[in-house]
Amino acid sequence: MHGPVLQDSKTKIVATVGPACQQPEQLADLIRAGVDVFRINTAHGSIADHEQKVMAIRQASKQVGCHVGILLDLAGPKIRLGELFCDPLQCDVGKTLTFIKEGAPQSDDQLTSTYPKLIDELQPGNHVMLADGQVALEVESVNADHAVCRVTAAGEVRSRQGINLPGVQLSVSALQRADIENAIWAADNEIDFISLSFVRNAGDVMSLRNVLTAHESEAMVIAKIEKPEALENLQDIVQAADGVMVARGDLGVEIDVAQTPVAQKRIIQVCNAMGKPVIVATQMLESMHHSVRPTRAEASDVANAILDGADACMLSGETAVGDYPLQSVQMMSRILSTTEQTLSERTALQERLEASDPTHLVHPITAAVTHAATVVAESIEAAMIIIATKSGSTAWVKSRSRSLIPTLAVSDRSASLRRMNLFWGIRPVAMSRMGPPAEIREQVCNWAKAEGSLKSGDRIVFVSGTGVVQNAHNSVVVYVVD
């Protein structure tokens, strides 16, 4: 058996792979620093590029000796500017810019987009945000061939930068042809998590799930919340998905930026209540693109995400293209570990998690036994909880307790081990064969002692199934290490 040494941080770290960290040796260093899941952004590169990243991640995982998860982030219907006549283009307040339907721009005040139906779906009074909200336009008039807009917030734009249309009802599907191709490739390559961009309703989530089911994929579907419509349909989306990502980049442009913190808290609360893992993403340590230290505001942002109940925090450009990818992961881990120490006191978060019903995730007996095991472990100050699991569902339920007692989840299924990397406070450990409970317990204890995580006299709580109740964990054993 093998797995990572127990680390201080229980909140999981997702790191984006890019030019700054795409070699196996670099990725191995990031795993050692605390990365649990690597993200591959399909908005950049081809399937051949993604294959190289997957190979490097799996080689790095083998070097370190643990099963790191991989998240494939589908680009979705991201609308972008076409090529500009004048690049870059300075947009001053009051300047008139015109989106044209066909042809290339013939002057610096003409714009094109990658979305063919843009002009058909714009109406006077709509707002158009360019370059992640740096430049704001208001639509003044629309006809069959063009839409005239006036600049209301000044700034500079470049070719191919993003267009956001807050409040505009678009007919474009959340799952594009390229997304379907990438999803099928992900299914064929046993990718663990697949996130869908610009989700608007539960139907978008089910479209992706149907593609994965048709290709016999066990990947967890992660819904990215970044549209106003998603907030309106939040409970249905969370119910349909296996997990959620608070994608604050586009969300902060699609809604008023002042509303973004409140929206984040609400999303996390709904996910906690429904037992779904939630990732907080975008600009968490933004200044570490070019600085070895984050700002105090960024450190507070990460800490508040944990206190709100996030299961994972994500690094984007900080690791993909930043100057300090390793230091960014190390800093994230330090902030997580320090913040988690405050969870030792009973919090409103813990009360909210315990009040929710986990029986929809697993057999009700498993849910009850897992809860009881955590209570027992807390009361006897156990050094460790060990869960023997095939699918990882029992570990999922345990993660909801936010107990600070180190928890190992043992499995002989590689896919389950990789998926458990997203579950708060769970450290997956691989076992070549799942034998009888007593045998598993002895092997895990011997391994943990060799790793320095256990010593003689420590108490552990072991959760397993005896086979008396089919498909359920029904046994809790308290064991003292020899």
Side-chain angles (χ1 to χ4, degrees), residues 26 48 128 159 176 200 206 259 263 274 356 360 386 454 480:
Q26 295 172 311
V128 179
S159 299
Q176 299 289 285
R200 290 168 294 190
M206 296 311 299
Q259 297 176 344
M274 300 181 76
S356 58
H360 66 285
I386 300 172
L454 284 178
V480 179

Side-chain angles (χ1 to χ4, degrees), residues 142-462:
V142 182
N143 63 25
D145 301 317
H146 62 263
V148 178
C149 307
R150 189 168 300 278
V151 178
T152 57
E156 185 179 83
V157 297
R158 296 179 180 273
S159 299
R160 310 295 297 176
Q161 285 190 311
I163 301 174
N164 290 88
L165 304 164
V168 179
Q169 299 294 321
L170 301 176
S171 60
V172 62
S173 170
L175 197 63
Q176 299 289 285
R177 179 177 297 179
D179 298 324
I180 295 173
E181 293 173 356
N182 281 317
I184 294 172
W185 171 83
D188 293 339
N189 286 272
E190 298 184 343
I191 300 300
D192 309 294
F193 312 97
I194 303 179
S195 58
L196 181 61
S197 298
F198 302 106
V199 170
R200 290 168 294 190
N201 52 55
D204 292 337
V205 177
M206 296 311 299
S207 295
L208 174 57
R209 191 179 296 283
N210 291 338
V211 171
L212 297 176
T213 300
H215 290 81
E216 300 181 343
S217 172
E218 296 182 349
M220 294 178 65
V221 176
I222 309 297
K224 294 173 67 176
I225 306 300
E226 49 196 337
K227 299 284 290 182
E229 300 97 309
L231 294 174
E232 294 172 4
N233 300 308
L234 183 59
Q235 295 220 3
D236 290 341
I237 291 172
V238 175
Q239 182 67 45
D242 297 310
V244 164
M245 182 186 296
V246 187
R248 303 182 304 179
D250 282 290
L251 181 63
V253 179
E254 291 281 343
I255 66 174
D256 186 347
V257 67
Q259 297 176 344
T260 306
V262 176
Q264 173 178 313
K265 289 179 181 292
R266 179 185 164 221
I267 296 166
I268 293 173
Q269 287 177 354
V270 171
C271 290
N272 290 163
M274 300 181 76
K276 302 298 177 74
V278 54
I279 307 166
V280 176
T282 317
Q283 296 182 332
M284 301 223 75
L285 298 176
E286 180 74 8
S287 64
M288 290 195 73
H289 274 76
H290 306 295
S291 172
V292 74
R293 290 177 60 84
T295 66
R296 292 166 180 81
E298 289 166 344
S300 297
D301 180 40
V302 174
N304 279 318
I306 301 162
L307 296 173
D308 286 342
D311 293 270
C313 293
M314 192 175 95
L315 296 167
S316 301
E318 299 95 330
T319 54
V321 296
D323 296 332
Y324 303 102
L326 179 59
Q327 290 89 337
S328 296
V329 174
Q330 291 171 335
M331 179 58 69
M332 176 75 82
S333 184
R334 283 176 56 194
I335 297 169
L336 300 183
S337 298
T338 303
T339 306
E340 286 164 1
Q341 294 174 14
T342 66
L343 298 179
S344 59
E345 300 178 1
R346 188 172 184 82
T347 65
L349 165 63
Q350 290 168 309
E351 292 175 357
R352 183 170 76 238
L353 290 168
E354 290 173 7
S356 58
D357 179 13
T359 54
H360 66 285
L361 302 176
V362 294
H363 195 290
I365 292 177
T366 298
V369 166
T370 305
H371 174 72
T374 305
V375 173
V376 169
E378 296 280 3
S379 64
I380 65 173
E381 298 182 348
M384 185 178 293
I385 298 173
I386 300 172
I387 298 173
T389 179
K390 280 284 187 182
S391 67
S393 296
T394 305
W396 187 343
V397 172
K398 162 61 183 64
S399 74
R400 294 160 52 78
S401 70
R402 291 304 195 265
S403 168
L404 295 180
I405 294 178
T407 302
L408 295 180
V410 184
S411 181
D412 58 0
R413 294 189 63 204
S414 297
S416 298
L417 291 162
R418 295 194 302 266
R419 285 196 297 270
M420 286 189 288
N421 277 294
L422 198 59
F423 302 163
W424 193 99
I426 302 298
R427 290 296 166 188
V429 177
M431 179 172 280
S432 59
R433 183 185 69 89
M434 298 285 279
E439 180 182 316
I440 295 173
R441 186 172 65 244
E442 182 177 359
Q443 289 190 42
V444 175
C445 286
N446 290 338
W447 174 83
K449 284 194 291 184
E451 293 289 338
S453 302
L454 284 178
K455 63 183 185 300
S456 295
D458 282 342
R459 296 168 179 169
I460 65 169
V461 174
F462 184 72

